[in-house]
Amino acid sequence: MMMPINTVGGPSAVEVIQQSFNPAIAVLTSPDVDVVCSKNRLTFVELLQPFSRLSVEGQIRDVNQALHSVTHFRLSVRDISWRPASSVLARRLLAEAVTNFPVNENKIAVIGGADPIEINPHTPWYDSWRETLWSCLEMTDHDFARHYLGTLLVVSSSHPNPMEQFQQLNDQLTQLMSSNGTADGPRWFNMLSLRYQVLVHDACDGDASNFRAEELLQTMRNVYGSHGCHLLVINSKPKKGSIIESGLPAPDPWLRFLPRKANKLDVSIEGESIVDGVEAGEMDFPVKVVEGTNPQLLGSLPKIPLMDALQEAMQEININSVLAPSASTSALSSLTRDDNISTQNNIGLSQRSAVEIKDDPLNAVLGTTTARFPLDEADGTGPILASSITSELHGGCLTTEDLDRIQGLVNEFCLKSLLPHMERQMRLLNESASSRKSTHRSLLSATKRWFGSNRPGGVQTPQTVAVSYHPESVQLQLRRLGDLAFLLGHYELAYHSYHSAKKDFEADQAWLHYAGAMEMAALSVFLQNANSRNVPFHYFDKALTTYLQTCKMPYWATRCAVLASECLKATNQYSDAALQLIRLTSEDADLRSAILLEQAALCFLRSAVKPNSSTDAAKPNMVPLIRKYAFHMILAGHRFGKSGQKRHASRAYQLALQVYKGHGWSLAEDHIHYTVGRQCLNRQQIEAACQALAALLKPDSMQTAAQQTAYLNEFIHVHQRKQLLNKHRENETKTSCTLPILPLPVIDSNQIRVLVDTKEPTENMSPPLSEATHVTFNDDEVHHAKWANMEEKLVNSAFGTTHAIFRPTNLIFSHTTNNTVHPQMNCDDLVSFELPLTNPLRIPVQLCDIRLVWNFAGGDGNLTNLLTTIENPLVTTYILPRIVLNPSSSHKIILNVKPKAEGILTIEGLAFDLRPVNVEPSAAVVGLMSSVSGRVMFSLRGPRLNTTQQERHGKVYATDKRLSIQVGPRMPKLQVLFHSLPEFMFSGEIRPVTVELSNLCPNVPISNIIVASNDPLHVAFDLPRIESINIRHDQVALYRWDSSQKSTIMWLKGTENVGLTSLDLMFFSTNPAVKARRYRLLRHCSKIFVSSSLNLAAWVQRVPSRDDRTETLAVQLQVRNLRDADDTSLSGIEISQVAFLSNRWLLRPLQSTIPSGVLHPQESLIGVLLAIRGKENIEYCESATLKLPSHGRAVDFKQEPYRAFVREFQRTTPNTTLVVCWTATQASEDGFGTLIIEGQHYFGWNSHDIANSSLPDTNFKLSQQLVTYSMEYSTKVFHDFNKQRLCVIPVILYLHNCSQQEIDVHYSANFNTGKTPRVSQLYMPEAASPLLWIGRVQGNIYVRDAPEAVNLAIAVSRPGAYSLVQGLHIDGRILDENVRVPSPKIEYTLVVYDKEV
């Protein structure tokens, strides 16, 4: 559906046609009349023009004596010296008619399709151009409506002999009429033209002159009749008094009718000189000079006040420059080069013909339009008329009675003289045409009708086109009759006359007359019923074709097309109207083409197509042709630009942009923006040019890299000019101008991240020394729950209690955090902003001097760095020197600011200098850097709310305050340094790290320093530990650090789980001078890779004791080296100490066996420990079962950090802990020397985890274990198999009683000989044959409490790794019982080497 366009003012089609055809009246005055009228700064013609419309209704009788009313009757009053404009002057007048009108900013919305667009509802420049075009049409024999119907002979009463002067004027008129029809003179309707004598009397001459005027009037009535003369009394206002009487209309009624003065034509509108619509710099000749005028003859003409300036200008210029304009001028201002308008002016009549180019219809339209669009004095736009340029007032000696007398003159002239004269002429012409209609056709005419060509539009010879008729021929009589009836509104008679005449013209091949008759016949039918669709519009088509192709008269063709389009629009045939206008566009008439293309675009907007073929065209579901409107508006803007109408070109492009914008027409948008930008730049509208060119650098641009480079350079060039203007303005006004907003780079404001309390940048430290990491933008675990847990423990320890809902400190704010409250920070702290910059173009761009734009609200008011780059004492701004954004890429930058006072710091945008990469400054801006300073502003929007019904139904978003930071008082700032903080550790390795602490703000006191660790099992500090109630049963250890202490030791222990582990620490501090619960946190998070070392496994069970029946515990321990065989980073691991820590059990060292030696990769060590129950709650003991190696040292588990690690381990397994201490050798990082590595592994259990092995005397269970065993042998054997093929290794087998009774143990060493050996789970570097047991390989032994030893040996035939479990079977039974219980398999390994290395 579409809103009607004509809802806002504008003449209808009927009004346009009626204003185009008005009775023409010539005025011939004596010089003394101009003296009388000059008191009002007017001529007599100008005096009449505002009152040329008949204010009452007139009546006439047609040829059938029927009475007709005459309404809307208006005279076209011209001085008898008026001439049509020459071709050059006509083009200039048409250009001025368009330029002088401002661009109408009042727009209405037109709904077409999905998106509404705005248009100009009325185009007054088109009305002005149209009526100016009418005034430029010459008088021809085919159009009598423009010929003079009568003449006003005007003489002043102050003349010495007025009657004689009347006679002289009559004689002069007769002489002029005798040359009627010449090319350079005025034309009259016929020789019976009406003559009307007017006596002008100046009331200021006194009473005597009034009496003389009455006598002269009576004499005139006796001579010319009562209806042929009139007395006009003016200047009745007394000489004393105000300039304008209060009864006179407030606006000057003559303002819109006066011609422009030549000496005022250099007035510019928005920087444009009004010279043919072309800029002043492109013109090489003065304005308002009539082509073909001789300057010497101008000097002999009588002086007229309005023409003084023009004559002076004409005497100072070279007329040849007008006759031969420059090439650029010809290209821009050529409207109708092939027009058949005369290029010579009649200079013998009056100087007024050289400048006073005005027609009454034009004046009428100018009056209406000027009233609707008054002159805007603020910007200099609007219709520039003579009185608008000067401060002169008109009609200063006239009263309201004088104005009534002037209107009375017009009414009396029309009612008593002109209308009766036209009625008589119409009757005479009708009678003459009727009597001669049957006899006027000659034989030659009949022959041409039947055998000659009667088709217009073909290629015609000049003789065929130039058909000449006698003035009294019947064809011209019919044409006169039609024109006369048309002027009187008798359209039916006019149509019949035109229709009859056009047949004769067609038969005579008088194509100019034929085209005129066809045009007027169609207009007559339309005016009979303006809403009818039965208008013969094909008449317009034929007339237009004849004007263009046959007669080569584009002016008349333009009038025909314009009037035809008005008729088509009145009958809702907008598409056809647009096509009529488009036919008149051509390459040699830019302004005409632009005007008509714009009107055609509006017609397409009002035309509609059927969305469904079954839909009637009159129904409201018709859709307008939006895209055709936009396309033709683009064409109009292009032609406006070529004709020099820059303002209208920009307007047309911007109207079309509404359609193309946002619909995927990227290249079309770019063309529009670029053209508008260049035009605005030429008009010195720098701000508008910047906005237009900025749209070219859009993210979805489809231009090539070369074109985008050109756009960017153009954009920078325009902004450089703007900056120069701003600097000049700053120097004059002593104020600073804000930076412009630039389209590059693109910043997604919602992706901005804020980091408060940023760590100060420090110099790179040497590898042994590292600093606490705190929080960075790359921290993926910044919002992990572990940090909130540690902070809560610290706050509880420092302040006692927390609120019911603890809110942890948030240091990084992003679109995923809760940003409804202001971020908190402290004075002199650094705050960082991570900005995602995107370069959407296909070319690289360079940003220099990048800085944040902020606003600080503190005690001293609001401060900002938008207007200045000088360092502010309250906020320090850090500048990023340079960054290059690659084509179609994104880059994140981090910028910092540091507030130094309490208040609210708001980050508003980003300021920078935009420069192209590797582009030299253009020649147009030599001396300027090829860069532009600008900014990009941020716009944040929180998540959409969906809580209430109103929020769900609408689009309500939460506030986002992440860029508005609350700055609090100063707080101490800790710096934590670590000495030799490892990045690689072995599992179980214990390594000390020195930690240093210092206050970076020595002027701020510090207190209550607390260190928190969330992994006390592997991290311990040499500080007093704060014991707190573990509310959430999590592992957080707190240590109190004395503020006077500068350093301490932190012990790290490798975790049991290999891989990447995290070391998380939090340092807490407060300012004792701040009473509020404010504190500062310093986080540290580093990653440590833990590699495998040892693995512990143990089997714990109760065993029978001796006679004292003491509860005994047997622990079978297996230690395995998990390093790979080909790993050389760590040498063999040696067990240095095994401790049994328990408050329930005492170790029996003599009965415990642990093999000695070094564990190489993938080797295992198995030992057996026996312990007895001791007293309850005894102090745990420690026992070393191995001799310490030379590089080892004894471990005191009552000292730190071993005590801390064991106690933390016993929090989960509190009863008994088995500790294996080991040492190893590692090559140093520099490759010279070795490092001793110490480590510990823990194995613990509770009492209820141990199986109860005590058996009753008579009952037992089959699943209970009776016997176990251990072996003593050399784990590594070196043997030369070349000297002796068989290697024999002695092995001592110990059998242990696990019950409290004597048992019978049976053992068999070669139990599975001959069967496939089971695959050992041990690492075997090479295959080995099954071993062979030697000695007493089978037997029974009675075992009591003490273990029994069996001496055996094994024999192997090749080197390799052997499992001693092969072929070994052991079981036992209680005496007097027949059930044997097998012993579980315990793995023992042996490695045999070929020879000793």
Side-chain angles (χ1 to χ4, degrees):
M1 185 175 179
M2 181 181 61
M3 182 183 295
I5 297 179
N6 57 357
T7 53
V8 182
S12 63
V14 175
E15 293 175 347
V16 170
I17 297 173
Q18 289 178 347
Q19 291 175 2
S20 302
F21 299 93
N22 293 317
I25 303 298
V27 176
L28 184 57
T29 62
S30 61
D32 48 2
V33 175
D34 292 332
V35 176
V36 176
C37 297
S38 63
K39 294 181 179 180
N40 300 286
R41 297 188 179 91
L42 298 168
T43 64
F44 185 78
V45 174
E46 295 168 351
L47 186 69
L48 295 183
Q49 281 176 349
F51 313 98
S52 58
R53 182 184 295 275
L54 183 62
S55 61
V56 296
E57 182 179 318
Q59 292 182 343
I60 63 167
R61 293 186 181 272
D62 60 7
V63 294
N64 297 323
Q65 298 300 319
L67 194 63
H68 290 272
S69 298
V70 178
T71 58
H72 306 291
F73 193 76
R74 187 184 184 91
L75 302 179
S76 178
V77 183
R78 308 172 192 156
D79 193 276
I80 201 169
S81 62
W82 178 88
R83 297 293 180 271
S86 66
S87 177
V88 174
L89 186 58
R91 288 195 299 268
R92 202 165 303 164
L93 290 174
L94 290 171
E96 292 176 9
V98 177
T99 306
N100 292 346
F101 279 89
V103 176
N104 184 15
E105 300 298 338
N106 297 324
K107 300 178 181 179
I108 62 173
V110 176
I111 304 174
D115 302 324
I117 63 174
E118 292 184 346
I119 66 167
N120 293 111
H122 182 51
T123 52
W125 50 88
Y126 168 67
D127 298 337
S128 174
W129 175 86
R130 180 186 61 222
E131 300 304 334
T132 304
L133 178 65
W134 298 170
S135 67
C136 294
L137 296 177
E138 61 179 342
M139 293 184 179
T140 61
D141 290 337
H142 84 285
D143 185 8
F144 292 98
R146 298 176 53 81
H147 293 193
Y148 293 129
L149 282 171
T151 306
L152 295 180
L153 306 177
V154 188
V155 178
S156 173
S157 61
S158 61
H159 194 277
N161 192 350
M163 296 304 297
E164 182 180 351
Q165 184 63 33
F166 275 122
Q167 185 59 41
Q168 292 179 2
L169 294 179
N170 274 285
D171 295 341
Q172 185 179 355
L173 178 60
T174 302
Q175 183 181 358
L176 289 173
M177 293 179 63
S178 62
S179 60
N180 187 22
T182 58
D184 55 351
R187 296 172 183 262
W188 275 264
F189 193 80
N190 53 23
M191 298 305 295
L192 301 178
S193 174
L194 176 65
R195 304 188 182 192
Y196 194 79
Q197 286 74 22
V198 178
L199 181 65
V200 178
H201 176 64
D202 190 348
C204 298
D205 292 343
D207 297 336
S209 61
N210 295 338
F211 178 75
R212 181 173 180 271
E214 291 293 338
E215 291 181 348
L216 289 174
L217 176 61
Q218 188 61 35
T219 306
M220 292 170 60
R221 288 176 178 175
N222 296 333
V223 176
Y224 304 112
S226 59
H227 299 315
C229 58
H230 187 84
L231 173 61
L232 177 62
V233 180
I234 60 174
N235 299 340
S236 300
K237 184 179 179 182
K239 295 183 180 180
K240 296 181 181 181
S242 61
I243 298 178
I244 300 180
E245 193 175 295
S246 59
L248 214 58
D252 192 340
W254 294 273
L255 178 63
R256 53 182 183 259
F257 298 99
L258 297 180
R260 292 166 51 89
K261 292 186 179 181
N263 59 343
K264 299 296 182 179
L265 291 180
D266 55 349
V267 179
S268 59
I269 299 180
E270 297 182 5
E272 297 178 21
S273 296
I274 309 172
V275 181
D276 200 16
V278 186
E279 297 181 7
E282 301 178 1
M283 300 299 298
D284 56 357
F285 52 90
V287 298
K288 282 293 180 180
V289 179
V290 180
E291 182 182 1
T293 306
N294 191 340
Q296 281 92 6
L297 294 178
L298 288 177
S300 61
L301 294 177
K303 296 288 184 177
I304 299 179
L306 289 175
M307 308 314 301
D308 292 342
L310 177 62
Q311 181 177 351
E312 294 174 1
M314 292 289 292
Q315 292 174 354
E316 297 176 358
I317 64 171
N318 184 6
I319 299 300
N320 296 327
S321 62
V322 180
L323 300 179
S326 64
S328 60
T329 306
S330 302
L332 289 172
S333 62
S334 59
L335 175 66
T336 51
R337 295 172 179 167
D338 298 331
D339 296 354
N340 289 333
I341 299 179
S342 174
T343 59
Q344 298 180 356
N345 293 328
N346 188 355
I347 61 173
L349 294 177
S350 171
Q351 184 186 2
R352 193 179 303 271
S353 61
V355 66
E356 192 174 333
I357 311 299
K358 60 179 186 294
D359 194 0
D360 190 67
L362 171 63
N363 295 332
V365 174
L366 283 173
T368 352
T369 314
T370 307
R372 188 178 296 112
F373 299 96
L375 176 67
D376 188 355
E377 297 179 356
D379 58 359
T381 60
I384 304 179
L385 303 177
S387 55
S388 66
I389 298 175
T390 63
S391 58
E392 297 178 354
L393 296 177
H394 305 89
C397 297
L398 301 178
T399 62
T400 53
E401 289 79 5
D402 293 337
L403 302 184
D404 294 338
R405 294 189 190 101
I406 298 173
Q407 185 64 60
L409 167 63
V410 175
N411 292 342
E412 184 176 349
F413 169 70
C414 294
L415 296 177
K416 296 183 178 181
S417 296
L418 183 58
L419 290 179
H421 173 75
M422 296 175 67
E423 179 182 339
R424 291 192 300 270
Q425 291 295 321
M426 184 172 59
R427 188 177 300 110
L428 291 176
L429 289 173
N430 180 63
E431 293 174 355
S432 174
S434 300
S435 61
R436 301 174 58 183
K437 186 179 299 183
S438 60
T439 61
H440 77 283
R441 296 183 178 89
S442 62
L443 179 60
L444 179 60
S445 299
T447 303
K448 289 180 180 179
R449 185 181 306 113
W450 290 102
F451 302 103
S453 172
N454 58 356
R455 296 289 181 183
V459 179
Q460 306 293 335
T461 62
Q463 290 80 7
T464 307
V465 175
V467 176
S468 179
Y469 287 103
H470 190 274
E472 300 301 328
S473 62
V474 64
Q475 293 89 344
L476 297 187
Q477 296 286 19
L478 287 173
R479 174 61 196 240
R480 285 192 181 94
L481 177 60
D483 290 343
L484 206 55
F486 191 91
L487 294 175
L488 290 172
H490 196 344
Y491 301 116
E492 182 178 1
L493 176 59
Y495 170 72
H496 290 296
S497 302
Y498 292 137
H499 191 269
S500 299
K502 70 102 178 173
K503 294 180 179 179
D504 296 335
F505 294 144
E506 183 180 13
D508 298 336
Q509 297 186 11
W511 301 123
L512 181 59
H513 296 273
Y514 168 78
M518 293 282 286
E519 176 187 4
M520 299 303 295
L523 292 175
S524 300
V525 176
F526 172 76
L527 292 176
Q528 290 183 53
N529 188 358
N531 297 323
S532 175
R533 298 178 64 91
N534 297 325
V535 179
F537 290 107
H538 61 282
Y539 281 12
F540 287 120
D541 295 334
K542 292 180 180 179
L544 183 57
T545 302
T546 305
Y547 279 135
L548 282 177
Q549 300 182 6
T550 305
C551 304
K552 307 297 182 183
M553 303 184 70
Y555 272 137
W556 294 97
T558 303
R559 189 188 77 166
C560 178
V562 170
L563 295 178
S565 66
E566 295 293 338
C567 298
L568 289 168
K569 288 189 289 186
T571 56
N572 294 326
Q573 302 181 58
Y574 293 100
S575 295
D576 295 336
L579 296 179
Q580 290 281 9
L581 296 172
I582 294 174
R583 289 181 63 184
L584 266 296
T585 59
S586 60
E587 290 298 327
D588 59 347
D590 292 325
L591 182 59
R592 181 184 70 197
S593 300
I595 289 290
L596 298 183
L597 283 171
E598 180 183 11
Q599 296 303 311
L602 294 175
C603 291
F604 281 124
L605 189 61
R606 295 200 60 187
S607 61
V609 294
K610 303 177 184 178
N612 189 346
S613 59
S614 61
T615 306
D616 186 15
K619 291 186 179 180
N621 58 354
M622 305 294 287
V623 293
L625 304 177
I626 297 293
R627 285 182 290 183
K628 277 193 174 183
Y629 159 78
F631 176 72
H632 286 82
M633 194 60 75
I634 289 292
L635 296 179
H638 175 66
R639 302 306 291 272
F640 271 128
K642 291 180 64 178
S643 64
Q645 302 287 343
K646 306 300 182 183
R647 289 183 303 144
H648 291 285
S650 300
R651 175 187 54 82
Y653 277 113
Q654 290 169 359
L655 291 175
L657 182 61
Q658 300 176 94
V659 179
Y660 289 109
K661 188 176 183 180
H663 291 83
W665 299 82
S666 178
L667 298 180
E669 291 184 48
D670 292 346
H671 169 73
I672 295 173
H673 287 305
Y674 184 75
T675 306
V676 171
R678 292 297 301 174
Q679 291 174 348
C680 293
L681 180 61
N682 293 335
R683 296 165 52 202
Q684 301 301 318
Q685 293 182 341
I686 307 299
E687 187 65 34
C690 292
Q691 295 177 2
L693 294 176
L696 296 172
L697 307 176
K698 56 188 177 182
D700 56 346
S701 176
M702 299 176 62
Q703 299 288 350
T704 62
Q707 190 63 47
Q708 289 181 352
T709 301
Y711 286 162
L712 180 59
N713 292 335
E714 190 75 21
F715 176 79
I716 293 177
H717 166 60
V718 173
H719 272 278
Q720 286 174 342
R721 295 185 59 178
K722 180 180 178 181
Q723 289 177 357
L724 289 177
L725 294 177
N726 290 341
K727 290 181 180 179
H728 181 68
R729 188 179 299 111
E730 291 176 3
N731 295 333
E732 291 182 348
T733 60
K734 304 301 180 181
T735 58
S736 300
C737 297
T738 60
L739 294 175
I741 297 178
L742 303 183
L744 290 178
V746 178
I747 300 179
D748 187 358
S749 300
N750 287 328
Q751 298 300 322
I752 296 177
R753 295 199 297 169
V754 182
L755 172 59
V756 297
D757 193 12
T758 306
K759 184 181 69 172
E760 293 280 354
T762 57
E763 298 181 358
N764 294 331
M765 299 182 179
S766 56
L769 195 63
S770 60
E771 189 177 5
T773 60
H774 199 38
V775 180
T776 62
F777 287 111
N778 298 326
D779 192 351
D780 298 331
E781 298 180 349
V782 64
H783 299 296
H784 197 278
K786 61 184 178 181
W787 300 111
N789 187 25
M790 295 169 66
E791 181 180 356
E792 184 177 5
K793 298 297 182 183
L794 289 169
V795 172
N796 288 338
S797 176
F799 300 113
T801 58
T802 60
H803 299 287
I805 300 178
F806 175 74
R807 290 192 176 97
T809 302
N810 186 15
L811 298 179
I812 293 184
F813 296 84
S814 64
H815 66 283
T816 59
T817 58
N818 182 12
N819 303 322
T820 56
V821 296
H822 297 281
Q824 302 289 326
M825 67 173 299
N826 305 312
C827 292
D828 288 330
D829 282 357
L830 206 63
V831 55
S832 301
F833 299 85
E834 184 187 68
L835 309 177
L837 308 183
T838 301
N839 177 19
L841 303 183
R842 301 180 182 180
I843 59 174
V845 296
Q846 182 180 180
L847 305 182
C848 300
D849 297 336
I850 311 171
R851 59 199 180 277
L852 291 171
V853 177
W854 47 261
N855 181 282
F856 185 77
D860 297 335
N862 291 342
L863 300 176
T864 181
N865 66 338
L866 180 60
L867 301 178
T868 179
T869 57
I870 302 176
E871 184 66 26
N872 193 285
L874 297 181
V875 179
T876 301
T877 306
Y878 293 82
I879 298 177
L880 182 63
R882 177 180 177 270
I883 185 175
V884 176
L885 299 180
N886 294 324
S888 303
S889 64
S890 298
H891 190 86
K892 292 182 178 180
I893 63 172
I894 298 177
L895 296 176
N896 304 322
V897 293
K898 180 188 288 186
K900 300 180 180 180
E902 298 184 36
I904 298 292
L905 176 65
T906 303
I907 306 301
E908 298 178 341
L910 183 70
F912 51 89
D913 292 343
L914 177 63
R915 299 180 183 179
V917 178
N918 298 328
V919 175
E920 296 296 332
S922 60
V925 286
V926 174
L928 298 177
M929 289 297 295
S930 181
S931 66
V932 54
S933 299
R935 57 191 168 109
V936 175
M937 305 307 291
F938 302 148
S939 177
L940 294 180
R941 186 176 66 179
R944 184 175 177 180
L945 302 179
N946 198 27
T947 304
T948 64
Q949 183 177 4
Q950 181 181 1
E951 293 173 349
R952 289 191 293 269
H953 289 173
K955 290 185 179 181
V956 182
Y957 296 89
T959 57
D960 195 323
K961 300 180 179 179
R962 79 182 96 154
L963 297 182
S964 183
I965 304 171
Q966 178 74 46
V967 183
R970 288 176 174 82
M971 295 292 292
K973 187 178 300 183
L974 292 178
Q975 184 185 35
V976 178
L977 300 179
F978 301 96
H979 291 262
S980 302
L981 183 66
E983 297 180 357
F984 178 86
M985 293 182 67
F986 292 98
S987 176
E989 176 188 358
I990 297 178
R991 183 177 299 186
V993 176
T994 303
V995 182
E996 292 184 1
L997 186 145
S998 60
N999 183 9
L1000 296 179
C1001 299
N1003 297 329
V1004 180
I1006 186 172
S1007 64
N1008 212 6
I1009 304 176
I1010 305 176
V1011 184
S1013 169
N1014 64 344
D1015 189 9
L1017 187 62
H1018 302 96
V1019 180
F1021 281 87
D1022 191 11
L1023 294 171
R1025 183 166 177 177
I1026 302 175
E1027 300 295 337
S1028 60
I1029 301 176
N1030 193 354
I1031 302 175
R1032 298 184 180 179
H1033 304 285
D1034 52 358
Q1035 297 294 324
V1036 176
L1038 303 180
Y1039 303 89
R1040 186 172 298 281
W1041 189 312
D1042 190 356
S1043 58
S1044 60
Q1045 185 177 356
K1046 300 302 180 182
S1047 64
T1048 189
I1049 300 297
M1050 176 181 64
W1051 298 89
L1052 300 180
K1053 181 176 179 294
T1055 60
E1056 289 72 20
N1057 298 325
V1058 298
L1060 198 63
T1061 60
S1062 177
L1063 172 62
D1064 301 324
L1065 303 175
M1066 181 175 285
F1067 297 85
F1068 177 94
S1069 61
T1070 60
N1071 184 357
V1074 178
K1075 297 182 180 180
R1077 293 167 60 100
R1078 296 185 67 91
Y1079 53 89
R1080 184 192 291 277
L1081 299 175
L1082 176 63
R1083 298 183 186 181
H1084 173 75
C1085 179
S1086 60
K1087 300 298 181 181
I1088 301 176
F1089 185 82
V1090 178
S1091 183
S1092 61
S1093 58
L1094 295 181
N1095 179 43
L1096 297 186
W1099 292 267
V1100 184
Q1101 53 187 203
R1102 290 184 175 89
V1103 297
S1105 63
R1106 296 179 180 267
D1107 296 338
D1108 55 2
R1109 309 287 293 183
T1110 303
E1111 185 176 1
T1112 306
L1113 192 66
V1115 180
Q1116 185 173 341
L1117 176 65
Q1118 180 180 1
V1119 182
R1120 185 177 182 181
N1121 187 347
L1122 299 178
R1123 307 298 297 176
D1124 293 336
D1126 57 350
D1127 185 15
T1128 60
S1129 61
L1130 189 68
S1131 62
I1133 301 176
E1134 187 173 1
I1135 305 300
S1136 61
Q1137 188 174 352
V1138 177
F1140 193 84
L1141 307 179
S1142 175
N1143 57 359
R1144 292 172 180 257
W1145 302 91
L1146 296 176
L1147 183 67
R1148 302 176 67 176
L1150 297 179
Q1151 297 179 352
S1152 301
T1153 59
I1154 299 295
S1156 61
V1158 178
L1159 284 179
H1160 296 281
Q1162 295 297 322
E1163 290 185 349
S1164 295
L1165 180 149
I1166 299 175
V1168 177
L1169 303 177
L1170 292 179
I1172 61 174
R1173 179 178 290 277
K1175 297 180 181 180
E1176 295 293 333
N1177 300 325
I1178 64 174
E1179 184 71 19
Y1180 69 85
C1181 64
E1182 55 182 87
S1183 301
T1185 61
L1186 293 179
K1187 182 180 179 181
L1188 297 176
S1190 59
H1191 57 267
R1193 61 181 179 87
V1195 175
D1196 185 3
F1197 290 97
K1198 296 182 181 179
Q1199 300 296 326
E1200 300 294 342
Y1202 312 111
R1203 181 174 179 271
F1205 287 143
V1206 170
R1207 291 187 58 183
E1208 196 64 35
F1209 179 78
Q1210 290 181 341
R1211 288 179 183 270
T1212 56
T1213 55
N1215 290 339
T1216 304
T1217 302
L1218 185 64
V1219 182
V1220 176
C1221 302
W1222 54 271
T1223 60
T1225 302
Q1226 182 186 19
S1228 60
E1229 295 181 357
D1230 55 5
F1232 300 96
T1234 57
L1235 299 177
I1236 304 300
I1237 297 176
E1238 298 182 358
Q1240 294 180 358
H1241 278 77
Y1242 304 142
F1243 185 85
W1245 63 86
N1246 293 321
S1247 298
H1248 57 79
D1249 296 331
I1250 305 173
N1252 188 1
S1253 301
S1254 300
L1255 302 178
D1257 294 341
T1258 57
N1259 299 325
F1260 60 93
K1261 297 181 180 179
L1262 294 178
S1263 60
Q1264 293 175 344
Q1265 182 179 351
L1266 298 179
V1267 62
T1268 183
Y1269 64 91
S1270 61
M1271 297 182 186
E1272 183 177 349
Y1273 60 94
S1274 297
T1275 58
K1276 288 185 179 181
V1277 177
F1278 298 92
H1279 181 77
D1280 189 356
F1281 288 93
N1282 294 326
K1283 294 180 179 181
Q1284 189 175 359
R1285 299 290 298 173
L1286 191 64
C1287 177
V1288 178
I1289 301 103
V1291 177
I1292 301 177
L1293 174 65
Y1294 292 96
L1295 301 177
H1296 303 273
N1297 186 356
C1298 296
S1299 67
Q1300 298 179 358
Q1301 302 180 22
E1302 185 179 3
I1303 60 174
D1304 179 15
V1305 178
H1306 175 77
Y1307 69 93
S1308 177
N1310 292 325
F1311 181 75
N1312 56 350
T1313 304
K1315 297 182 181 180
T1316 303
R1318 69 182 183 89
V1319 180
S1320 175
Q1321 297 179 355
L1322 294 177
Y1323 174 79
M1324 301 181 67
E1326 58 182 65
S1329 300
L1331 57 84
L1332 180 65
W1333 289 93
I1334 302 174
R1336 189 182 176 184
V1337 296
Q1338 186 176 359
N1340 290 343
I1341 298 178
Y1342 293 96
V1343 182
R1344 292 179 179 268
D1345 295 338
E1348 295 292 338
V1350 179
N1351 295 318
L1352 299 174
I1354 59 173
V1356 297
S1357 60
R1358 65 176 60 181
Y1362 295 89
S1363 174
L1364 303 187
V1365 183
Q1366 296 184 23
L1368 183 63
H1369 177 76
I1370 300 175
D1371 58 28
R1373 69 176 183 85
I1374 301 176
L1375 296 180
D1376 301 331
E1377 298 292 339
N1378 296 326
V1379 179
R1380 288 189 173 275
V1381 179
S1383 173
K1385 298 292 184 181
I1386 301 176
E1387 192 68 57
Y1388 286 91
T1389 59
L1390 169 66
V1391 180
V1392 180
Y1393 295 91
D1394 187 13
K1395 57 183 176 179
E1396 185 176 0
V1397 180

